[in-house]
Amino acid sequence: MKKYLFVLVMSCLTTTMFAQGLGFLKNEARVDMKLNYAEAVIAGYEESNILTFEKDWEKDQAVLFAKMVGLYNDKLGETLPAGNFSNANYTIEVRPTVIQKNGNIVGYFVVLDAAGTELYRSQKFSAKGGTFGTFLNLVGDGMKSTGKVIANIVKKELKK
């Protein structure tokens, strides 16, 4: 019986998170954006040991982040600009779960309030990587696509 109650409560909480939408962001001037690789498998590696495969991974994080935020802002910047805004009321935290060698990205994002409470969790999304170039170039293409995908989801949710 306790198991059923637990499953029921958890499914109601999950449904509430999806049903809530992003209406609470409508009057915000900007939103903080972060990348969190904690759940990611990156070309078959966890982030903790990706340096054995890609030596410049840490060095290029600022460039990858800029590509993602740049495309997000190209699409949605006038409505809800994102960036490294530590004093914003909300944070969009992008959580890739798979980054393939061609830069394709599968993941989801959450919106956190200033206290770190999760207010929204997106459904899983897929973003297209590149065709030619180094691994980091292909991932850069995937980050651009990720920014665009997230902007489309946020834009759609804000219209509700």
Side-chain angles (χ1 to χ4, degrees), residues 139-153:
V139 173
D141 292 342
M143 287 296 174
K144 288 178 184 178
S145 180
T146 296
K148 186 176 177 181
V149 166
I150 292 171
N152 286 335
I153 293 169

Side-chain angles (χ1 to χ4, degrees), residues 89-122:
N89 294 324
Y90 299 99
T91 299
I92 294 175
E93 186 174 276
V94 181
R95 298 178 178 176
T97 54
V98 176
I99 299 176
Q100 298 175 341
K101 286 185 179 181
N102 66 356
N104 288 350
I105 297 173
V106 175
Y108 65 98
F109 69 92
V110 296
V111 178
L112 308 169
D113 66 13
T117 304
E118 185 177 308
L119 302 175
Y120 175 86
R121 179 181 293 248
S122 77

Side-chain angles (χ1 to χ4, degrees), residues 41-60:
V41 175
I42 307 163
Y45 296 86
E46 294 178 329
E47 188 186 24
S48 61
N49 60 10
I50 187 65
L51 293 175
T52 60
F53 172 71
E54 182 52 62
K55 303 292 184 218
D56 292 334
W57 180 254
E58 290 174 346
K59 183 179 93 175
D60 286 343

